[in-house]
Amino acid sequence: MTLNIPCDRNSEFKNQTLEPYQRHDDTLESTVIHLYRKGMTTSDIGDLIKMYGHHYSRKTVSNLIQVMEFHVKAYHERPLNKRYTVVYLDATDLPIRRDTVERDPIYLVVGITIEGYKELLAYNIHLTESAYNWKNIT
């Protein structure tokens, strides 16, 4: 599906739903994944989406979840370089939206390759920062 955005001579048109140059809005797909992670069933999600004028069957919702899980799994199982000149371990507090927005530590493992490029090697999100949580980072 292509999106046609009208142009005007004085450049006064402002799109209210998409950012400039954006051609796709993935808010609905993100919402589906979020609801699934909160524990809603695929049929409940499909019924909820129907209220907003969209139709996602249980199979479509299931497919969206499988694609997301595939990408996350592929990221965690990707091959890494054999050598890194430097490896940084750090945790930083970032706002994460669950029921409310709270600042939780995200544990990051960043490696610098021999060529000088940074790579995110691993990440984990925990509710608190502790030595025990560092042991669980793979």
Side-chain angles (χ1 to χ4, degrees):
M1 177 175 101
T2 59
L3 182 64
N4 295 323
I5 297 178
C7 296
D8 62 330
R9 290 181 186 215
N10 299 326
S11 298
E12 295 172 352
F13 175 77
K14 301 286 187 226
N15 189 336
Q16 300 298 315
T17 57
L18 297 175
E19 294 293 322
Y21 305 105
Q22 184 181 358
R23 298 294 181 253
H24 182 266
D25 182 18
D26 64 349
T27 305
L28 188 58
E29 287 82 4
S30 299
T31 302
V32 167
I33 291 168
H34 177 75
L35 293 174
Y36 181 79
R37 293 188 74 211
K38 288 289 192 181
M40 286 185 73
T41 65
T42 54
S43 59
D44 289 343
I45 294 171
D47 292 341
L48 183 65
I49 298 297
K50 219 180 281 184
M51 290 178 11
Y52 293 99
H54 299 279
H55 175 72
Y56 277 17
S57 68
R58 289 183 358 198
K59 183 64 177 165
T60 302
V61 172
S62 178
N63 288 342
L64 282 171
I65 302 304
Q66 286 177 356
V67 167
M68 183 265 314
E69 289 174 346
F70 171 78
H71 287 297
V72 170
K73 184 177 179 184
Y75 174 81
H76 286 292
E77 294 178 353
R78 74 195 187 289
L80 299 175
N81 286 337
K82 293 184 180 186
R83 291 184 68 155
Y84 292 93
T85 56
V86 177
V87 175
Y88 292 100
L89 305 173
D90 191 16
T92 184
D93 287 336
L94 293 178
I96 298 176
R97 179 180 298 276
R98 292 192 181 98
D99 292 331
T100 61
V101 176
E102 297 178 15
R103 296 184 72 81
D104 291 335
I106 296 180
Y107 292 73
L108 303 170
V109 180
V110 178
I112 298 180
T113 65
I114 295 171
E115 296 84 19
Y117 296 106
K118 291 181 184 177
E119 289 183 16
L120 180 63
L121 304 178
Y123 67 91
N124 265 343
I125 300 172
H126 293 283
L127 297 177
T128 60
E129 187 173 0
S130 70
Y132 176 77
N133 291 336
W134 275 112
K135 290 180 181 179
N136 294 326
I137 301 227
T138 56

